[in-house]
């Protein structure tokens, strides 16, 4: 831990996927004695989970998408105004480094940092470099990634890339050392189904019917928790009632970490935070990537965990009740298969992502000797983790 208190600015787009790792890094930097400020948009400022001491600054952030020239003009004006506001903040806050987590609300802050000569880092949560991070890659000092292989990342930037993983919420990370919940040949099979913050209609339509097609040996042991859209919940409840499958439904669960801890199997989308939490805790999954995700990044996010044996991925156009039942049977007909998949998912996790990202960020503005100490400490910790996983 450094003995020098410094200031850092984190900039993140207004979605949980961008904000959750920013919150985790903020908590780690504050625990090290630093002062941290957040730049986001109005939507991001409302995302739950922000550390109590983290001050959020809402800046204009235009989008540069579509073919409408007026839309581009408005977007550029908003970005430039956000850049001017960020520069004023930097004048008073004097950050040692500005860290961006993607999304258009991060763009003005990173542009301001590069123009002011302030060191900057971007963190990419997905297995495809996002548009904003792609635009900034040549300007920033370092690129932190959540995956060893990231598409759309130019080889010309390879020297500045460090894979640290994707930081997750403390309450989820705290579950990493807990054992996989007991699953026996005649015990309950607890299934957790979510489709992101608003649920997913395709899951509501397919999952109840897929579970109903399971052999009686599995179907009669099901205990389901499913997040649904508000407009779908009554119909989903009726489907489960028709199939005589016990299911708890809701549009939002505040205790999602506890529900993940109890689950034997997860079914849902393949967003970056979802994958990071599944691998942090070690939970088998059947993943249905969002087909309209930019650059098909959710499909890319599934590659590592699927290759390791910790998950099955089904494209949405092939996500039918029959296919779902087939994949669940392959995982859950024998207790050891599900347990092995859980361990494979666990091995894909990066439990020290927040710490390693903080080490990288602290490398800017610190004394060279402290940088050497930090790098050595991080290397020793990773070696110890690898040794432990080999033993496991």
């Amino acid at each position: 831990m450094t003995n020098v208190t410094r200031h850092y600015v984190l900039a993140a787009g207004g979605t949980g996927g961008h904000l959750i790792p920013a919150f985790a890094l903020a908590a780690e930097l504050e625990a090290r004695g630093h002062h941290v400020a957040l730049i986001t948009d109005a939507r991001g400022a409302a995302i739950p989970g922000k550390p109590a001491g983290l001050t959020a600054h809402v800046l204009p952030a235009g989008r540069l998408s579509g073919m409408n020239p007026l839309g581009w003009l408005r977007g550029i004006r908003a970005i430039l105004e956000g850049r001017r506001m960020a520069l004023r903040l930097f004048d008073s806050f004097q950050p040692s480094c500005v860290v961006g987590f993607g999304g258009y609300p991060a763009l003005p802050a990173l542009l301001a940092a590069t123009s002011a000569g302030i060191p900057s880092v971007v963190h990419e949560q997905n297995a495809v470099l996002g548009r904003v991070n792609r635009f900034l890659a040549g300007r920033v000092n370092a690129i932190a990634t959540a995956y060893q292989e990231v598409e759309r990342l130019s080889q010309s930037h390879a020297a500045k890339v460090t894979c640290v993983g994707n930081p997750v919420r403390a309450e989820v990370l705290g579950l990493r050392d807990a054992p996989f919940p007991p699953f026996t040949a005649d015990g309950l099979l607890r299934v957790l189904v979510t489709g992101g913050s608003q649920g997913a209609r395709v899951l509501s339509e397919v999952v109840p019917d897929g579970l109903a097609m399971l052999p009686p040996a599995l179907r009669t042991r099901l205990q389901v928790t499913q997040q649904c859209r508000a407009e779908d919940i009554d119909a989903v409840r009726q489907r489960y009632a028709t199939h005589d499958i016990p299911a708890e439904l809701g549009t939002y669960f505040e205790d999602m970490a506890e529900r993940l801890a109890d689950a034997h199997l997860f079914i849902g989308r393949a967003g970056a935070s979802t994958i990071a939490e599944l691998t942090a805790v070690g939970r088998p999954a059947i993943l249905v990537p969002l087909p309209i995700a930019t650059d098909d990044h959710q499909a890319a996010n599934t590659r590592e965990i699927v290759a390791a044996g910790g998950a099955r991925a089904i494209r949405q156009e092939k996500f039918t009740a029959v296919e779902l039942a087939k994949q669940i049977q392959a995982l859950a007909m024998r207790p050891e298969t599900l347990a092995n998949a859980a361990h494979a998912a666990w091995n894909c996790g990066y439990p020290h992502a927040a710490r390693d990202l903080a080490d990288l960020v602290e490398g800017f503005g610190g004394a060279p000797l402290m940088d050497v100490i930090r790098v050595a400490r991080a290397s020793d910790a990773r070696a110890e983790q690898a040794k432990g996983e080999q033993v496991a």
Side-chain angles (χ1 to χ4, degrees), residues 281-361:
V281 179
R283 290 297 179 270
I286 295 175
L287 301 168
V288 187
L290 179 67
I292 61 171
T294 305
D295 297 319
D296 202 20
H297 68 256
Q298 286 204 3
N301 290 348
T302 69
R303 282 199 301 258
E304 185 175 298
I305 188 173
V306 169
R312 309 289 178 98
I314 307 174
R315 286 285 191 176
Q316 183 161 311
E317 63 270 19
K318 297 181 179 179
F319 184 59
T320 63
V322 172
E323 182 63 22
L324 177 61
K326 173 184 172 182
Q327 296 299 335
I328 294 175
Q329 288 183 70
L331 283 168
M333 284 300 290
R334 292 187 296 275
E336 64 272 16
T337 303
L338 205 59
N340 289 340
H343 188 65
W346 189 90
N347 279 335
C348 292
Y350 289 84
H352 302 301
R355 185 200 68 187
D356 292 346
L357 181 55
D359 285 344
L360 176 66
V361 170

Side-chain angles (χ1 to χ4, degrees), residues 34-389:
H34 301 304
H35 299 300
V36 185
L38 172 70
I39 288 177
T40 186
D41 60 0
R43 187 172 57 151
I47 297 289
K50 183 172 70 68
L54 180 61
T55 301
H57 301 268
V58 176
L59 270 61
R63 294 181 63 86
L64 302 179
S65 58
M67 300 297 292
N68 186 342
L70 291 178
W72 271 74
L73 182 59
R74 285 193 295 268
I76 291 172
R77 285 176 175 171
I79 291 169
L80 292 177
E81 176 58 23
R83 176 179 173 275
R84 285 191 290 268
M85 294 174 67
L87 285 170
R88 290 196 292 270
L89 173 63
F90 297 165
D91 283 340
S92 60
F93 196 66
Q94 294 292 304
S96 295
C97 182
V98 177
V99 187
F101 288 84
Y104 281 101
L107 182 56
L110 271 296
L111 291 176
T114 55
S115 67
I118 300 170
S120 56
V121 176
V122 292
H123 179 270
E124 178 55 59
Q125 299 89 52
N126 293 297
V128 181
L129 198 65
R131 291 176 180 176
V132 169
N133 285 348
R134 203 181 309 160
F135 175 75
L136 295 165
R139 297 169 168 81
V140 298
N141 298 84
I143 301 169
T145 65
Y147 295 90
Q148 293 289 345
E149 296 183 9
V150 178
E151 296 178 16
R152 299 293 186 96
L153 181 57
S154 172
Q155 282 298 313
S156 63
H157 303 317
K160 62 173 77 174
V161 175
T162 301
C163 180
V164 299
N166 192 14
V168 300
R169 298 171 293 165
E171 60 266 33
V172 172
L173 189 59
L175 302 171
R176 182 166 176 81
D177 294 329
F180 184 63
F183 177 62
T184 62
D186 56 358
L188 288 175
L189 173 59
R190 290 189 290 271
V191 180
L192 176 62
V193 187
T194 78
S197 61
Q198 299 298 320
R201 176 158 292 167
V202 67
L203 298 174
S204 296
E205 293 172 347
V206 172
V207 173
D209 294 343
L211 295 176
M213 297 179 70
L214 292 172
L218 279 178
R219 189 179 67 248
T220 57
R221 296 155 51 202
L222 287 170
Q223 188 176 77
V224 181
T225 300
Q226 183 162 347
Q227 178 195 45
C228 310
R229 294 173 181 264
E231 59 269 30
D232 297 335
I233 196 165
D234 289 338
V236 177
R237 184 174 288 112
Q238 182 58 49
R239 285 188 184 216
Y240 278 117
T242 299
H243 298 315
D244 197 24
I245 296 174
E248 181 183 1
L249 309 180
T251 57
Y252 178 75
F253 295 109
E254 291 186 359
D255 58 344
M256 188 60 79
E258 288 81 1
R259 294 174 185 274
L260 183 61
D262 290 338
H264 296 110
L265 177 64
F266 172 89
I267 302 174
R269 293 300 196 192
S273 292
T274 296
I275 301 293
E277 293 188 352
L278 290 171
T279 56
V281 179
R283 290 297 179 270
I286 295 175
L287 301 168
V288 187
L290 179 67
I292 61 171
T294 305
D295 297 319
D296 202 20
H297 68 256
Q298 286 204 3
N301 290 348
T302 69
R303 282 199 301 258
E304 185 175 298
I305 188 173
V306 169
R312 309 289 178 98
I314 307 174
R315 286 285 191 176
Q316 183 161 311
E317 63 270 19
K318 297 181 179 179
F319 184 59
T320 63
V322 172
E323 182 63 22
L324 177 61
K326 173 184 172 182
Q327 296 299 335
I328 294 175
Q329 288 183 70
L331 283 168
M333 284 300 290
R334 292 187 296 275
E336 64 272 16
T337 303
L338 205 59
N340 289 340
H343 188 65
W346 189 90
N347 279 335
C348 292
Y350 289 84
H352 302 301
R355 185 200 68 187
D356 292 346
L357 181 55
D359 285 344
L360 176 66
V361 170
E362 273 191 333
F364 297 98
L369 179 59
M370 282 305 303
D371 293 344
V372 171
I373 293 172
R374 285 189 213 99
V375 170
R377 185 186 68 199
S379 177
D380 291 345
R382 281 189 284 270
E384 183 178 350
Q385 177 193 357
K387 181 179 178 182
E389 291 176 355

